[in-house]
Amino acid sequence: MSRIAAAFTPRPALMPYLTLGYPDPETSLACVQATAEAGANLIELGLPFSDPLADGPVIQHSTQVALENGVTVAKCLQMTTELRRRGVVVPLLLMGYYNPIFAYGLARFAGDAASAGADGFIVPDLPLEEADELEGECRKHDLSLIYMLAPTSTPERIKKVAERASGFLYLVSVTGVTGERSGVAGGLREFVGRVKEAASVPVAVGFGISTPAQAVEVGQFADGVIIGSAIIKAASGKKPVEGVKEFVRHMRKVLG
């Protein structure tokens, strides 16, 4: 069983997102370690980019700070290596936009990421129709390229993406950017159900989940719960490592 597959037993998996290099590189590494120790089943490591079009203000701010801290794609790969050296064993997915990955070089990126200990990638602005080359590089190194679906995805689109899926499918719960919402989006349960009928991999939900109540509700019908902005907020306090660890520990506890 791959590390990603193992992350979904038991379910629901808790899948936090953290921006590498925020609030600073060393604290960022400590926050990822704390997240793993607190019970995260899989961690998404954000690659800073100057135009994060899928992200709301909280994650946008964290990526801007990380860029100002000098965090590049190469630095993120070094940080991934360091996390494995420090004993982090949960699956690590590099989540970033296509432009810096393309500039780094797809073959080089996949090879270096595999050497660093990453398990795969999430690239929000890379459509299925343009993903052949990166997907091919992923296959060479046994990495997963995680595809995303939105509430606006048609049945034909869901079927097409599900057929290409590896690792898991990332469902965006709302039409819009990342960030906290007052409640779980209407129709989400039905959307997850439609995708699960077509998919042979686990289905995880992200965007707009920030509170324990929301996580518990989504965890009743999804295989994984992805939380980003709320954890970035926890990392923005006076004691970021302790804040992140307590947040994740509580989320894991309420998810069961």
Side-chain angles (χ1 to χ4, degrees):
M1 181 184 291
S2 72
R3 273 198 294 233
I4 292 178
F8 288 92
T9 55
R11 298 178 181 181
L14 176 59
M15 307 161 70
Y17 166 97
L18 289 157
T19 302
L20 284 174
Y22 180 80
D24 60 72
E26 181 54 40
T27 305
S28 170
L29 289 172
C31 284
V32 176
Q33 282 185 273
T35 299
E37 291 167 2
N41 303 105
L42 179 154
I43 301 174
E44 298 177 10
L45 303 175
L47 309 181
F49 181 49
S50 58
D51 187 20
L53 55 87
D55 291 308
V58 172
I59 293 180
Q60 281 187 19
H61 172 71
S62 70
T63 60
Q64 182 60 39
V65 171
L67 288 171
E68 291 168 359
N69 287 332
V71 176
T72 62
V73 171
K75 178 71 175 175
C76 289
L77 293 168
Q78 293 168 9
M79 294 174 77
T80 304
T81 300
E82 176 62 16
L83 288 167
R84 292 302 190 202
R85 191 193 69 77
R86 295 187 185 191
V88 174
V89 297
V90 298
L92 298 175
L93 293 178
L94 298 174
M95 184 170 184
Y97 293 88
Y98 191 62
N99 191 310
I101 295 172
F102 181 78
Y104 189 88
L106 301 186
R108 180 183 170 215
F109 180 67
D112 289 354
S115 298
D119 295 273
F121 312 126
I122 303 171
V123 188
D125 59 344
L126 180 63
L128 185 76
E129 290 76 9
E130 298 176 23
D132 286 356
E133 188 173 355
L134 183 56
E135 193 176 298
E137 295 298 335
C138 286
R139 280 196 294 271
K140 291 179 186 175
H141 300 282
D142 198 23
L143 298 169
S144 292
L145 181 58
I146 307 300
Y147 289 112
M148 304 177 85
L149 287 166
T152 52
S153 299
T154 63
E156 294 75 21
R157 182 75 179 172
I158 291 171
K159 181 175 183 294
K160 197 172 180 181
V161 171
E163 288 173 351
R164 290 266 293 271
S166 68
F168 66 93
L169 277 169
Y170 188 134
L171 269 58
V172 176
S173 74
V174 293
T175 51
V177 298
T178 60
E180 297 167 84
R181 304 292 199 279
S182 58
V184 173
L188 180 59
R189 181 188 289 267
E190 291 73 20
F191 173 40
V192 171
R194 291 199 307 274
V195 175
K196 292 187 79 163
E197 285 180 5
S200 59
V201 295
V203 173
V205 174
F207 284 46
I209 302 168
S210 59
T211 69
Q214 291 168 343
V216 168
E217 182 177 346
V218 173
Q220 290 172 355
F221 51 83
D223 301 312
V225 178
I226 301 165
I227 302 172
S229 296
I231 293 180
I232 297 294
K233 275 192 172 181
S236 304
K238 292 182 179 178
K239 295 183 177 180
V241 179
E242 291 82 353
V244 163
K245 193 165 193 173
E246 180 55 33
F247 182 92
V248 174
R249 180 182 288 138
H250 183 60
M251 278 291 187
R252 185 63 271 175
K253 183 178 179 182
V254 299
L255 283 173

